[in-house]
Amino acid sequence: MTHGNLLEPPATLLPENEPARAELAAGTDAAEVAAHHPAFSAAWARLGELALESGETVAAYAYARTGYHRGLDALRRSGWKGFGPVPWSHVPNQGVLRAIAVLAKAAKQIGEDDEYDRCRQLLADSDPASLEATGLA
């Protein structure tokens, strides 16, 4: 997948974390999944989403920031150099992309517009489909 730039690096595809994904899919509390699998961004993203839904913006920001950093670590281990496509269609990528979206939303709610813009741009640069999928389009 490229965004039209022949010099763009190949898409970064995170490896599957089947045990963590299965726990979350089975309805295990996201906090428990995050405790068992702290590098699993999808658990942190879910915690952030739930906090946003409950009006706990600062908690959402903190959960999302954790998922964001753990996701960037995973992306770098998978060869990402800080730019290039991170396709939404690859399910293991969705955790970090969702965490970035929650971080953007929470930042917007607390008036941190620069952070909102950076996160939104990171999603657009990673895969424009992630903006629509996360409600930031």
Side-chain angles (χ1 to χ4, degrees):
M1 172 181 150
T2 65
H3 298 154
N5 181 347
L6 296 176
L7 300 177
E8 186 170 62
T12 302
L13 305 176
L14 291 175
E16 178 66 62
N17 184 333
E18 183 55 35
R21 188 206 58 76
E23 285 180 33
L24 204 55
T28 303
D29 182 81
E32 189 175 329
V33 176
H36 292 152
H37 309 278
F40 186 56
S41 289
W44 296 106
R46 185 66 188 138
L47 287 167
E49 291 162 350
L50 292 169
L52 276 180
E53 290 170 13
S54 299
E56 300 172 38
T57 307
V58 173
Y61 187 94
Y63 288 134
R65 170 86 43 208
T66 301
Y68 164 85
H69 282 291
R70 297 310 296 255
L72 291 182
D73 291 344
L75 287 169
R76 287 185 186 106
R77 280 192 306 276
S78 293
W80 188 70
K81 303 291 187 218
F83 62 94
V86 180
W88 174 264
S89 61
H90 183 66
V91 174
N93 290 351
Q94 291 178 10
V96 65
L97 297 171
R98 286 174 41 223
I100 295 165
V102 173
L103 184 57
K105 292 172 185 178
K108 186 73 162 173
Q109 288 183 16
I110 63 173
E112 200 173 352
D113 293 334
D114 288 345
E115 180 80 321
Y116 170 81
D117 292 339
R118 274 191 303 277
C119 290
R120 196 171 181 294
Q121 188 62 55
L122 178 55
L123 289 172
D125 291 345
S126 296
D127 185 348
S130 67
L131 292 170
E132 186 171 336
T134 60
L136 288 171

